[in-house]
Structure formats: structure tokens, C-alpha cells
């Protein structure tokens, strides 16, 4: 059996630049003997399938034991006529277990107990909804065959203990020293740090060199300091009312729950793992598509410079997204971002999602927060396997991550871990949660913390001693005290304009206007190449007559050019200079108004051809990425592309200009303010076409006044004496020449600004 998408209409564009799909994984089908045995043991097959399908409903997932476990009749062997518990059955091709003596037979009692142990413990699995047979078979076989291999060595257990203790010590320290600060601690969900540590280790040992991480406010500071090397002195410096950037930089900074850290982590491998944590705004989950876009741009960069033809999508980079439970089921951007995950111009080769499930959203219980059984059910939209795990059991959390990672490694698709935990405080530390959840918080306040429970187990099993435990507590507390003292003399350093961005500047002084002109001979060459196709490629005859021939005529006779030609000339001339372009949006290949035709589709084969990628052998490349019908996630994705590399011109075009209103969160919290808050430049272009052509009031305006309200400075662009550092540029070009020079200016100048 070969995994892969089926029953979907598609172009034949596998040779187009940027078209990248994950490698397919082959998994063997049942042998003839196994199929025969399954037919003969149909009742047993039904029992095993029942545990694979609904066993998750009988698991012990709730650390607070507030959820009443229902009776699941499908899990009773007697339902299938299997009432004699001593009866022996051949399990070959039915269940992956290892009976005593290596036999292929086992009693119903043994089989039933094995199923209960695997599917009804502290880890639960949902994978039977996946339509691909190979994926379902692999998932069942893997978790069943590895169920007895979850024991960890003492070093790993001590590592987990140290991480948990450090996590609790940090939050206790913060509560003692900064008790009036909303820090959104990790207390109750400390196992999340185990999940991330295990994931980083797996990545490092699998040859992955880059991890792109997006996470919300819950536990952010704890994870940054405890795992991602964020200097505590820098955090304490900011908590005392200081800025995170040097005073001479034009940046406002942001609240502590939005800061980031991008360290290199070493897990004993030859190469470090570079973790890039992206800044996030207060709008829950808006960072998710930005993570995907940033990761995709980084993947394309690694792919373009890699000389190994065997390097596949997801080999060297992974996306990681941490979510809140209420937000995951409630925010539409989740669905939109998941919808991009398997598309050939958007896929990362699999993102690992971790839901920190506090079982409550602010003050709202699950019955008011979602219409589904689990917060993770929205993931089934893209047939994502889901692993639920009780956060009270750190070693099981690590096991869940190993299973998720192995699935992603083989199938290069998204996978979700629903980490069921609790929140020791309210939505923040200054909130009183028992106003609305008295029973829940009576239980929480009466129980031990996750780190303390794990520490006691480690001491009882002899992995650590009481002295070991006290030493971990004392040493980390002393470290934090030292960092707090050092924060008084801490001087922040700028972390922008490094690496690929090192050749650019902050335009804090008068910015000279760049020369965006291009020689006529070059423009004529680019224009001709923009519509040149091989004679064997059958272009639609109307395009030949009304698009290709008129363009060639205008260029040959020096006639006035139209808008689409000017755009192609801007693109082609930038490509000749070595820049890459990513043109993205709904129907951008053709253009909403059938004006662009950056890609041609052969009328006989439906092969796709992009003429601008055939100007010269040394040129840059343009990726024509026709997107799904999404604005919020796709615009966020393109913003992520824009902050990853200054050498790619990212363009998002709305199908109609007014469609930008459904992506307003990205415009408000990233495009218009990202540089001011985080010193992250973006050269993103938003093309918002519209016209008074009878399409109604919505399609007749892009609401330009809203963008003007978001601009931070009145600028007189006709004066060379004015400091020109607006947060973004808003333009309404009225001639083809203007769009030509505007697009070229985005890349030619020595800084990056959004262009609307």
C-alpha cells in the first residue's frame, strides 16, 4: 500500500517552481494468510477494531477526575460472541502483540487485557478516521508493537525531573518576586516542557536542523527561560519597567507574553537544532499561519542551496505549534491553517501541534466552548491523527510525542497531541477562578503539583535521592537570584538585521529614493520571455490572440503597455537580478480579471508552464502559488515568508480587494505594527484589486481609509528632508509605470516595508 492523496482534481504542475509534495511512504498490505485468518476470525477483528476506533473514550485522561467515564458497550468481548475468555485465537494480521513463547495465538483474556493496556490507559489514540489505509495500518501496528518499549533509562528520567522542577521553581520564583504580574504560568501543565524537550531531542537525532515554533501566552515565559535559553536577567529587566531593545532604536517593544527567543540547542548530535520562536500578538492562534509561512520560506531556502537531490520536504525543518484548548476549537484561523497543511505550495512536510488543554477557556467550560467531544476534533478536517495524553504522567507524554514524531517522519503530515492538564491559577495569576469554577478549583488547590508527584515517584524508585532533589531546587533558585541581581545592570542588545538581513538598514534617517529604472533592451527581453512557450505546448487560442500577440506587438513597436505587462516587466527584471518572487492568492496564476496569465495550462495535457522562470539560467525564480479560499491564514502565511528572507518578494493578492477585511487581524497585529513592536522588517506586498464594474458595494472598495488610519506618520514623499520611516506604504497607482516602479522599489532599496 502506498500512502498519498486521492480523488482530488489537480494540475500537472509537478515541474513548476515551488511545487513540493511530501515523499510517499509504502506500507505492506496483509499477506494472503493474514487475510484468510481475518476472514476466519471476524468476531475478533470486530473487537480489535472497536478498541482502535472508540477505545479513547474509556481512557483515564483527566488529571482532575472531573469527567465521568461512560460505559462503552463496543469494548465488551461478549458483544461479538467472545464470551469464553480462555478460548485461543490466531492473532496474525489482527493484532500486534507478543504472546508468551513467540506463539501467534492468545486467549481472549490475554487479547482483551492487551487492548485495554494499549488503548485505555493514560494515552488515547484517534486514527481510524484517516481515509488512507496505509496510514491507519501503520498507526495501529506501531502503537501495538511498541507498547512494551516505553521504559526510560535513569538518565532520561533525571532529565525529566530536572526540567519539571526547574519549571515549578521558576513559576514559584516569579510569584514571589513579581506577584502582581500577569505571567500566564505553566503550573498544572508542566508536562508540556517534557513534550517539547522530547521533540527537540527527536528532531536533533533525526537530522532536522531547524524548528519553527509558535506558541501562545500560557507557559511562554517558563518555556523560554527553562528550555529556550532566554536570559532570566533580560526578562527581569523588562519586568522592572525597562525596554527589551536599546533606547536608540525606534521600537516600542511588546508585553512579556509576546517576547521570543531563538537559541541553538545541542542534544549530543553533530549539528545543533536551531529553534526559531516567533513573536505572537494577543489575538489567539494568529501566529499559526505565520509559523507555517516562515517555515516554508526557510525550507525553500534550504532546498535551493542544497545539492542533495534526495533532500525531501520536512527532512531538515519542522513546524511546531502550541495551542490553547478553547482557542483551538474556537478560532477559525486554526481551520484555515490546517487547510494549508497538505497543499503543494504551502506544506511544511508535517507540523506537530500540541494543545495545552486546561479544560477551561478563561472562565468558560467545555460545554460552552465547543460543539465537539474533544477540543482537537477540528483536526479531523484534514484527517490528522490525534493523540490524547494525561498530563499527570510525564513519561507517557514523552511516549505520545515519540509516536507523533514517528508518524510525521514517515508520512510528512500534521499530527496533534491533546495534552490534558489543568490551570492552577485563573486565566492569569491575578484572576479568581473559583468565582465560576468552584468545584474544579477545590480539587486543584487540594492536589499536589505534577513536578512534586513525579519527584516522589523518582525517589521511591531509587532514580534520585532526597539530596538530589533538594540540589536541583536549590541550584536553580540560586541561579534565578543571581540573574535577578544582574538585571539591574543589564543592557539589552538588538537582535535584528542579522544573517540574511545583515545587508539592510533601519530607515531612521532620510531614505534616498532608489533607481528603479531598467534598460529598454532588458525590458523588451523580459516582456517577450514572459509569454514565450514551446511550440508543443498548446496555449488556449484566445490567450494567443488577446494576450500573447498584443503584448509582443506593443513591445516590438514601443507602444503603451497595459497593467499586466508592466507587472510582468517588474517581476522579470527582478528575477534577472537574482531575487525570488512568491505570488500568492486565490487564482493569482490567471488573475481574478483574467489579466495576468503568469502561468499557462496546456489545453491537451493540463501541464503548467510559468514563462518568467525561463528568462536565463542564472535568474531567480517566481513561485506562482494559487491558494485555497482563505484570506486570514494565507495572508499570515505570506507575512511569515516576508520576515524570513529579504531576498524574496512576497505578494498576496486578494481575489477582490475588499476580501482583505477577513484578514484584518494579520494587518493590524503584524503588517502594520511588527517592526515597531519587534524590529522585524517585512517587504510584503498586498495587492487589492477592485473596480466599479457592477459587482456591488463590497467589491467596489478596498477600504483604503482603514489602511491610512493604521499608518503611523504623515509623510511628504516629495521632500527629501523628511525622515521617511513609516510603518507601511499605502499607494493607489493609476498608471502601469507606477506599479512597475512600486514593485521594483520593494527589493531595490536597502530596507523592507509593507506595501499596500
Amino acid at each position: 500500500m502506498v500512502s498519498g492523496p486521492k480523488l482530488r482534481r489537480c494540475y500537472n504542475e509537478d515541474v513548476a517552481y515551488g511545487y513540493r509534495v511530501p515523499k510517499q511512504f509504502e506500507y505492506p498490505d496483509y499477506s494472503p494468510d493474514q487475510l484468510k485468518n481475518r476472514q476466519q476470525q471476524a468476531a475478533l477483528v470486530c473487537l480489535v477494531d472497536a478498541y482502535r476506533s472508540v477505545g479513547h473514550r474509556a481512557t483515564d485522561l483527566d488529571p482532575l477526575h472531573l469527567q465521568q467515564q461512560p460505559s462503552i458497550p463496543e469494548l465488551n468481548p461478549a458483544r461479538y460472541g467472545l464470551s469464553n475468555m480462555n478460548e485461543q485465537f490466531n492473532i496474525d494480521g489482527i493484532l500486534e502483540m507478543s504472546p508468551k513463547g513467540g506463539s501467534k495465538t492468545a486467549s481472549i483474556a490475554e487479547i482483551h487485557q492487551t487492548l485495554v493496556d494499549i488503548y485505555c490507559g493514560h494515552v488515547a489514540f484517534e486514527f481510524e478516521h484517516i481515509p488512507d489505509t496505509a496510514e491507519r495500518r501503520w498507526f495501529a501496528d506501531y502503537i501495538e508493537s511498541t507498547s512494551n518499549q516505553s521504559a526510560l533509562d535513569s538518565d532520561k528520567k533525571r532529565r525529566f525531573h530536572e526540567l519539571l522542577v526547574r519549571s515549578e521553581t521558576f513559576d514559584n520564583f516569579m510569584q514571589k518576586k513579581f506577584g502582581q504580574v500577569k505571567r500566564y504560568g505553566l503550573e498544572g501543565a508542566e508536562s508540556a516542557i517534557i513534550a517539547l524537550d522530547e521533540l527537540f531531542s527527536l528532531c536533533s537525532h533525526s537530522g532536522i536542523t531547524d524548528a519553527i515554533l509558535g506558541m501562545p501566552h500560557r507557559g511562554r515565559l517558563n518555556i523560554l527561560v527553562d528550555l529556550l535559553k532566554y536570559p532570566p536577567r533580560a526578562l527581569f529587566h523588562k519586568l522592572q519597567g525597562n525596554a527589551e531593545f536599546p533606547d536608540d532604536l525606534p521600537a516600542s517593544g511588546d508585553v512579556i507574553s509576546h517576547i521570543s527567543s531563538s537559541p541553538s540547542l545541542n542534544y549530543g548530535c553533530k549539528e545543533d537544532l536551531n529553534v526559531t520562536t516567533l513573536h505572537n500578538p494577543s489575538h489567539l492562534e494568529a501566529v499559526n499561519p505565520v509559523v507555517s509561512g516562515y517555515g516554508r520560506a526557510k525550507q525553500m531556502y534550504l532546498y535551493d542551496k542544497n545539492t542533495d537531490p534526495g533532500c525531501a520536504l520536512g527532512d531538515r525543518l519542522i513546524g511546531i505549534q502550541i495551542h490553547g484548548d478553547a482557542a483551538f476549537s474556537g478560532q477559525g484561523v486554526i481551520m484555515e491553517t490546517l487547510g494549508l497543511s497538505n497543499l503543494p505550495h504551502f506544506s511544511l512536510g508535517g507540523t506537530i501541534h500540541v494543545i495545552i488543554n486546561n479544560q477551561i477557556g478563561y472562565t468558560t467550560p467545555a460545554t460552552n466552548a465547543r460543539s465537539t467531544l474533544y477540543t482537537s476534533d477540528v483536526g479531523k478536517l484534514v484527517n490528522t491523527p490525534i493523540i490524547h495524553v494525561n498530563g499527570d504522567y510525564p513519561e507517557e507524554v514523552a511516549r505520545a510525542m515519540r509516536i507523533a514524531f514517528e508518524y510525521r517522519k514517515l508520512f510528512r503530515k500534521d499530527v496533534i497531541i491533546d495534552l490534558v492538564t489543568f490551570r492552577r491559577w485563573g486565566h492569569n495569576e491575578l484572576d479568581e477562578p473559583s468565582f465560576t469554577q468552584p468545584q474544579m478549583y477545590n480539587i486543584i488547590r487540594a492536589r499536589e503539583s505534577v513536578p512534586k508527584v513525579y519527584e516522589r515517584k523518582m525517589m521511591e524508585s531509587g532514580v534520585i535521592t532526597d539530596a538530589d532533589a533538594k540540589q536541583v531546587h536549590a541550584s536553580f533558585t540560586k541561579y534565578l537570584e543571581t540573574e535577578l541581581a544582574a538585571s539591574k545592570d543589564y543592557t539589552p542588545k538588538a537582535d535584528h538585521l542579522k544573517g540574511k538581513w545583515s545587508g539592510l538598514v533601519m530607515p531612521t534617517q532620510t531614505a534616498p529614493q532608489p533607481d528603479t529604472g531598467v534598460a529598454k533592451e532588458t525590458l523588451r527581453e523580459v516582456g517577450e520571455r514572459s509569454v514565450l512557450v514551446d511550440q508543443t505546448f498548446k496555449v488556449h487560442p484566445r490567450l494567443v490572440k488577446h494576450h500573447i500577440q498584443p503584448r509582443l506587438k506593443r513591445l516590438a513597436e514601443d507602444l503603451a503597455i497595459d497593467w499586466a505587462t508592466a507587472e510582468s516587466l517588474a517581476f522579470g527584471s527582478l528575477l534577472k537580478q537574482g531575487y525570488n518572487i512568491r505570488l500568492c492568492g486565490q487564482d493569482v496564476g490567471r488573475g481574478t480579471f483574467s489579466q495576468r496569465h503568469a502561468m499557462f495550462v496546456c489545453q491537451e495535457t493540463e501541464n503548467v508552464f510559468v514563462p518568467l522562470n525561463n528568462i536565463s539560467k542564472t535568474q531567480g525564480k517566481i513561485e506562482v502559488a494559487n491558494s485555497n479560499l482563505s484570506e486570514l491564514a494565507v495572508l499570515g502565511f505570506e507575512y511569515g515568508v516576508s520576515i524570513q528572507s529579504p531576498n524574496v518578494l512576497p505578494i498576496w493578492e486578494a481575489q477582490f480587494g475588499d476580501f482583505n477585511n477577513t484578514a484584518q487581524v494579520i494587518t493590524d497585529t503584524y503588517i502594520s505594527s511588527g517592526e515597531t513592536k519587534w524590529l522585524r522588517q517585512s517587504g510584503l506586498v498586498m495587492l487589492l484589486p477592485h473596480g466599479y464594474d457592477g459587482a456591488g458595494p463590497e467589491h467596489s472598495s478596498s477600504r483604503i481609509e482603514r489602511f491610512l488610519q493604521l499608518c503611523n506618520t504623515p509623510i511628504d514623499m516629495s521632500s527629501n528632508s523628511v525622515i521617511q520611516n513609516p510603518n507601511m506604504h499605502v499607494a493607489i497607482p493609476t498608471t502601469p509605470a507606477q506599479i512597475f516602479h512600486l514593485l521594483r522599489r520593494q527589493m531595490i532599496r536597502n530596507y523592507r516595508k509593507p506595501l499596500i
Side-chain angles (χ1 to χ4, degrees):
M1 292 181 290
V2 179
S3 67
K6 300 172 179 66
L7 302 178
R8 291 192 293 175
R9 281 283 292 123
C10 61
Y11 287 126
N12 296 322
E13 60 168 331
D14 54 324
V15 296
Y17 178 75
Y19 183 96
R20 301 193 65 196
V21 295
K23 59 185 180 182
Q24 293 186 335
F25 176 72
E26 296 187 12
Y27 197 74
D29 198 358
Y30 296 110
S31 68
D33 288 342
Q34 289 176 330
L35 286 172
K36 182 178 180 180
N37 186 51
R38 289 175 62 84
Q39 294 165 3
Q40 294 173 344
Q41 313 291 354
L44 181 60
V45 170
C46 289
L47 175 64
V48 172
D49 285 349
Y51 271 89
R52 292 170 178 170
S53 298
V54 297
H56 58 87
R57 297 195 61 192
T59 50
D60 177 19
L61 292 177
D62 182 11
L64 303 179
H65 304 291
L66 284 169
Q67 301 176 13
Q68 293 183 352
Q69 288 189 333
S71 174
I72 312 297
E74 296 94 326
L75 304 182
N76 186 346
R79 185 181 181 91
Y80 310 101
L82 303 173
S83 55
N84 183 356
M85 302 305 286
N86 295 318
E87 186 176 358
Q88 298 287 313
F89 285 86
N90 185 342
I91 61 172
D92 188 29
I94 300 176
L95 176 65
E96 288 292 323
M97 62 178 286
S98 301
K100 296 178 180 179
S103 171
K104 290 185 178 181
T105 62
S107 68
I108 285 297
E110 293 173 321
I111 294 170
H112 186 240
Q113 188 59 53
T114 297
L115 291 170
V116 170
D117 292 344
I118 293 174
Y119 290 105
C120 303
H122 302 304
V123 185
F125 308 95
E126 291 188 89
F127 59 89
E128 285 292 287
H129 60 277
I130 301 174
D132 190 89
T133 305
E135 291 183 43
R136 293 197 309 273
R137 278 217 59 203
W138 174 88
F139 215 99
D141 289 354
Y142 185 80
I143 60 179
E144 290 167 8
S145 62
T146 60
S147 61
N148 294 323
Q149 302 174 15
S150 58
L152 304 177
D153 60 34
S154 295
D155 288 341
K156 177 70 80 170
K157 292 180 179 181
R158 281 191 285 268
R159 166 73 175 173
F160 287 177
H161 168 258
E162 181 178 358
L163 287 171
L164 291 169
V165 169
R166 284 161 59 101
S167 174
E168 184 173 48
T169 302
F170 173 81
D171 275 325
N172 289 342
F173 186 88
M174 289 286 288
Q175 186 67 21
K176 179 180 178 181
K177 302 294 185 180
F178 302 97
Q180 297 304 307
V181 171
K182 298 177 181 179
R183 55 185 166 82
Y184 306 100
L186 196 60
E187 294 114 310
E190 291 93 346
S191 287
I193 211 163
I194 301 300
L196 278 179
D197 184 65
E198 186 71 6
L199 176 55
F200 291 154
S201 177
L202 291 166
C203 289
S204 188
H205 285 86
S206 296
I208 292 174
T209 57
D210 288 272
I212 314 303
L213 173 63
M215 59 178 170
H217 51 284
R218 177 70 56 208
R220 187 182 186 95
L221 299 181
N222 197 313
I223 292 171
L224 287 175
V225 169
D226 198 14
L227 200 58
L228 298 178
K229 297 183 178 181
Y230 191 83
R233 64 184 65 185
L235 173 62
F236 299 150
H237 176 82
K238 182 169 177 59
L239 286 169
Q240 293 168 35
N242 302 300
E244 65 263 43
F245 300 119
D247 294 336
D248 60 340
L249 291 177
S252 66
D254 204 351
V255 296
I256 58 171
S257 55
H258 298 171
I259 59 179
S260 70
S261 176
S262 298
S264 294
L265 305 179
N266 188 278
Y267 282 85
C269 301
K270 181 179 179 180
E271 293 182 286
D272 287 351
L273 177 68
N274 303 307
V275 181
T276 301
T277 309
L278 298 185
H279 296 91
N280 68 302
S282 293
H283 286 70
L284 295 176
E285 309 293 338
V287 72
N288 299 336
V290 181
V291 168
S292 298
Y294 189 101
R296 172 74 183 201
K298 180 73 172 181
Q299 289 240 33
M300 292 302 296
Y301 170 76
L302 293 173
Y303 180 74
D304 287 343
K305 77 171 188 176
N306 196 346
T307 58
D308 179 11
C311 182
L313 191 65
D315 278 354
R316 304 289 281 171
L317 182 144
I318 190 171
I320 306 168
Q321 296 179 20
I322 305 178
H323 313 274
D325 53 320
F328 195 83
S329 58
Q331 294 289 304
V333 68
I334 295 290
M335 182 276 290
E336 291 191 32
T337 306
L338 287 171
L340 300 176
S341 61
N342 295 324
L343 301 182
H345 290 282
F346 296 87
S347 174
L348 287 184
T351 292
I352 290 186
H353 303 263
V354 179
I355 303 172
I356 299 181
N357 188 347
N358 299 312
Q359 307 185 72
I360 187 172
Y362 214 122
T363 66
T364 305
T367 52
N368 293 64
R370 63 178 185 265
S371 298
T372 57
L373 178 62
Y374 297 115
T375 183
S376 53
D377 282 345
V378 68
K380 295 175 183 177
L381 168 79
V382 291
N383 307 312
T384 300
I386 299 165
I387 305 172
H388 309 274
V389 58
N390 189 325
D392 260 3
Y393 300 88
E395 294 179 18
E396 292 288 73
V397 171
R399 174 175 168 248
M401 182 57 75
R402 290 193 293 273
I403 296 171
F405 182 82
E406 194 65 23
Y407 171 84
R408 184 264 177 198
K409 180 180 177 181
L410 293 178
F411 295 100
R412 302 301 163 95
K413 294 182 180 180
D414 287 23
V415 57
I416 296 171
I417 292 179
D418 175 21
L419 178 59
V420 186
T421 62
F422 61 92
R423 190 184 67 195
R424 182 161 291 280
W425 305 94
H427 179 66
N428 60 69
E429 289 71 25
L430 308 184
D431 201 21
E432 178 46 70
S434 61
F435 288 160
T436 51
Q437 275 75 38
Q439 292 183 357
M440 172 182 277
Y441 275 86
N442 284 339
I443 294 173
I444 290 173
R445 287 163 178 160
R447 58 157 289 161
E448 278 189 300
S449 68
V450 175
K452 284 185 171 60
V453 170
Y454 190 73
E455 182 174 89
R456 188 178 69 253
K457 289 180 179 179
M458 292 302 97
M459 293 172 63
E460 291 173 352
S461 61
V463 175
I464 63 171
T465 64
D466 181 63
D468 294 332
K470 291 179 179 178
Q471 194 275 331
V472 174
H473 285 267
S475 63
F476 194 59
T477 301
K478 182 179 179 181
Y479 168 69
L480 293 175
E481 290 283 5
T482 302
E483 289 290 294
L484 178 61
S487 67
K488 299 177 182 178
D489 301 318
Y490 176 75
T491 302
K493 297 180 181 179
D495 65 347
H496 67 307
L497 301 181
K498 294 182 179 180
K500 288 181 288 185
W501 294 80
S502 59
L504 277 68
V505 301
M506 290 287 293
T508 54
Q509 300 300 318
T510 300
Q513 294 296 334
D515 182 3
T516 55
V518 179
K520 182 184 293 187
E521 295 77 13
T522 300
L523 292 179
R524 182 174 288 113
E525 176 198 3
V526 168
E528 292 172 351
R529 289 280 184 176
S530 70
V531 291
L532 183 63
V533 297
D534 188 271
Q535 291 183 349
T536 61
F537 191 97
K538 302 301 180 182
V539 180
H540 195 286
R542 287 174 59 186
L543 288 179
V544 175
K545 181 177 180 180
H546 298 292
H547 180 74
I548 296 177
Q549 292 177 351
R551 178 172 294 185
L552 293 174
K553 178 179 175 63
R554 293 190 191 100
L555 292 168
E557 299 178 10
D558 284 343
L559 301 176
I561 62 173
D562 60 12
W563 193 281
T565 301
E567 186 186 72
S568 290
L569 295 180
F571 290 164
S573 58
L574 287 172
L575 294 172
K576 276 186 69 71
Q577 290 177 256
Y579 295 107
N580 284 354
I581 300 171
R582 180 177 161 92
L583 176 63
C584 178
Q586 298 153 15
D587 315 296
V588 294
R590 191 201 76 167
T592 300
F593 306 100
S594 195
Q595 84 285 2
R596 176 175 292 121
H597 300 290
M599 54 173 268
F600 294 132
V601 179
C602 179
Q603 297 301 293
E604 295 180 350
T605 65
E606 288 200 351
N607 288 339
V608 168
F609 181 72
V610 180
L612 283 172
N613 279 331
N614 291 270
I615 300 173
S616 70
K617 293 182 178 180
T618 59
Q619 68 170 89
K621 294 293 184 180
I622 180 171
E623 180 176 6
V624 180
N626 289 300
S627 77
N628 66 348
L629 200 64
S630 158
E631 289 85 35
L632 172 55
V634 174
L635 182 59
F637 189 100
E638 300 310 314
Y639 176 82
V641 172
S642 75
I643 61 173
Q644 203 286 318
S645 174
N647 298 316
V648 176
L649 174 61
I651 301 172
W652 176 74
E653 181 176 73
Q655 190 178 65
F656 287 88
D658 58 282
F659 284 5
N660 79 84
N661 55 19
T662 61
Q664 192 71 43
V665 169
I666 302 299
T667 305
D668 291 348
T669 61
Y670 282 108
I671 296 171
S672 67
S673 56
E675 184 177 5
T676 302
K677 292 186 293 187
W678 311 313
L679 291 176
R680 293 298 182 264
Q681 293 189 16
S682 165
L684 176 66
V685 177
M686 291 177 63
L687 295 181
L688 307 178
H690 66 275
Y692 297 106
D693 56 356
E698 285 79 27
H699 287 345
S700 297
S701 172
S702 296
R703 308 296 184 224
I704 197 70
E705 66 277 5
R706 295 178 181 172
F707 292 97
L708 293 175
Q709 285 180 323
L710 288 172
C711 292
N712 63 352
T713 310
I715 295 295
D716 179 8
M717 298 303 293
S718 64
S719 172
N720 289 326
S721 62
V722 177
I723 294 179
Q724 296 178 3
N725 188 30
N727 56 336
M728 58 185 184
H729 291 140
V730 180
I732 307 180
T734 56
T735 68
Q738 289 174 344
I739 191 65
F740 171 84
H741 290 288
L742 279 170
L743 290 172
R744 283 189 50 78
R745 187 181 68 172
Q746 285 296 100
M747 304 304 290
I748 299 302
R749 59 190 176 189
N750 61 348
Y751 60 92
R752 297 288 176 262
K753 288 286 179 183
L755 171 64
I756 314 301

